[in-house]
Every structure is written in C-alpha cells, then in structure tokens.
C-alpha cells in the first residue's frame, strides 16, 4: 500500500498463519486478532508514517507469535498507546521519527508477560504491562534518547540479555535505520522511571542501564531488586 491505511478488523488463525501489512503513510489500527487456541502467529506492521491507535482502549493486536512494528514516525503515542495482547511472542519496535507507546491490558484471565526483545525510538518510550495476574516486562534492548518509562501493575521487570545494556538513554543515540524518518532533537537531561508491582532485576542478574545525562527513579513492589 502506497498511501495511509486504516486497518479496521483483521482475523486470522491456524498454524503458520501470519499477518504482514505495509503502508506508505500513517497506519491506523483497529483490531488484528489471532486465535489463541488454534494459533495466530506473527504480526508485522511497517509504514513510512506513524502507527496510530484507532480504537481507544480496545486491543489493537492479539497474537501468539512475534509482533514487529516499524515506522518512520511514531508507534502509538506516550499519551495514547497501542494496546497489545501477546501470548509468548517477542516484540520488536522501531520508531525512527518519534515516540513509542505500548500497553498490555489484563487479557485471558492469567499472567501474560511482555517480552521487549528490541525497542528503538528516536524520542521517548512508555511501555506498561497492566496485567493484574502477574504480567512481567522482560527486557532485551531499549534505546530511547528522550527517556524511558516502564511500568508493571503486578509483575517483575527482568533482564533477558545477560551483561548487555538493557536500557540506553543517551543524548544523540538513534534507532536503527528503517527509512528517512524525521528525528526530533534531544537536548538536556532526561527523566526515566521503572515502576514495578514485583521486583526489578535480581541480585544475581540486575538490569543494565546507561543514562547520560538524566535521572532514574526506581520503585519495586517487593524487596529483591537490582539495577546497575
């Protein structure tokens, strides 16, 4: 698709059933839903514009495989996130020209973790796992020069990449090239938050962060936590 696209309602199921949607302008998301019992594999969304929430607080994506979103603009917004329902798959998010806003509400009546494999933004990142049954945030790599806010309602925030940096908030750091996006200027110190209903990192495997310049506020709902 070479123009902006409105993705109203996509249903898919079955082993090997994947969805790939590309647009040459802004992509507005209604619902992309895979069948949780019979499979509803990978979802890939790519646009030269931004990926925008188009259905309020309802879920935009439900799938059991990976979720990849790449945009020359933003993915969601800091104040109006894309709502995801992931059931075991990894998230790759790259917003070359703006912010990333992602929320996972309580879905399915059980704990659902959110695996942030590779998250890169030219602006800020705001990601919440609001699952009330123990949903964690599993952190691979996050790069966002304008600041990071990570929140869980009841789960932990955990490292998944060993000794590598989990969070990099450095003025001038930029996401991987996905197109000719317009990158916002980043000037001055950033304010960053990790707020968890469970623990943050562990004593043996802390989160690894690089914030320069800026501040980091950490609040964990249980005692064991580790940030280096």
């Amino acid at each position: 698709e070479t123009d902006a696209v409105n993705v109203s309602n996509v249903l898919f199921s079955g082993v090997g059933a994947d969805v790939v949607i590309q647009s040459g302008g802004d992509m507005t998301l209604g619902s992309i839903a895979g069948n949780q019992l019979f499979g509803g594999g990978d979802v890939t969304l790519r646009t030269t514009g931004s990926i925008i929430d188009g259905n309020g607080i309802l879920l935009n994506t439900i799938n059991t495989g990976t979720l990849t979103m790449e945009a020359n603009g933003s993915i969601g917004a800091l104040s109006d996130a894309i709502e995801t329902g992931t059931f075991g798959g990894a998230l790759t998010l790259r917003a070359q020209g703006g912010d990333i806003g992602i929320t996972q509400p309580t879905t399915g009546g059980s704990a659902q973790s959110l695996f942030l494999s590779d998250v890169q933004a030219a602006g800020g990142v705001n990601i919440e796992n609001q699952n009330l049954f123990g949903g964690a945030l599993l952190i691979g790599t996050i790069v966002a020069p304008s600041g990071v806010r990570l929140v869980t309602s009841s789960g932990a925030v955990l490292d998944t990449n060993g000794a590598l940096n989990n969070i990099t908030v450095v003025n001038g750091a930029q996401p991987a090239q996905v197109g000719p996006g317009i990158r916002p200027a980043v000037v001055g110190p950033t304010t960053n938050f990790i707020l968890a209903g469970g623990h943050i990192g562990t004593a043996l495997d802390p989160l690894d962060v690089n914030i320069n310049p800026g501040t980091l506020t950490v609040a964990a709902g249980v005692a064991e936590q580790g940030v280096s």
Side-chain angles (χ1 to χ4, degrees):
E1 175 63 56
T2 58
D3 299 315
V5 62
N6 187 349
V7 182
S8 176
N9 189 20
V10 177
L11 299 175
F12 65 109
S13 70
V15 176
D18 300 326
V19 170
V20 178
I21 302 175
Q22 302 184 90
S23 76
D26 288 345
M27 183 183 297
T28 301
L29 293 186
S31 173
I32 301 174
N35 190 305
Q36 300 165 27
L37 296 179
F38 301 105
D42 300 339
V43 173
T44 301
L45 307 175
R46 296 189 180 98
T47 178
T48 60
S50 294
I51 299 175
I52 301 167
D53 175 28
N55 66 1
I57 63 173
L58 301 178
L59 284 171
N60 298 112
T61 65
I62 303 173
N63 69 304
T64 58
T66 63
L67 174 60
T68 299
M69 291 190 276
E70 297 181 344
N72 286 6
S74 299
I75 297 174
L78 299 182
S79 58
D80 187 9
I82 300 294
E83 284 83 22
T84 67
T86 62
F87 291 82
L91 272 68
T92 297
L93 309 170
R94 294 174 180 165
Q96 191 190 334
D99 302 319
I100 293 176
I102 298 289
T103 295
Q104 175 149 292
T106 297
T107 56
S110 61
Q112 298 294 339
S113 294
L114 198 57
F115 176 25
L116 305 174
S117 175
D118 182 10
V119 177
Q120 302 185 44
V125 165
N126 182 24
I127 298 178
E128 299 187 26
N129 191 341
Q130 298 176 347
N131 190 294
L132 298 177
F133 295 98
L137 286 178
L138 309 176
I139 311 299
T141 300
I142 300 175
V143 177
S146 292
V148 169
R149 180 178 181 270
L150 305 175
V151 178
T152 71
S153 294
S154 60
V157 179
L158 300 173
D159 171 39
T160 66
N161 67 1
L164 300 177
N165 265 2
N166 298 113
I167 300 170
T168 300
V169 183
V170 177
N171 286 185
Q174 295 293 347
Q177 192 80 5
V178 297
I182 299 173
R183 296 172 172 176
V186 179
V187 179
T190 59
T191 302
N192 306 273
F193 297 90
I194 305 176
L195 311 175
H199 56 87
I200 299 173
T202 67
L204 296 178
D205 190 9
L207 291 184
D208 302 291
V209 304
N210 180 12
I211 298 173
N212 183 24
T215 60
L216 174 63
T217 298
V218 177
V222 297
E224 183 179 28
Q225 56 181 304
V227 176
S228 68

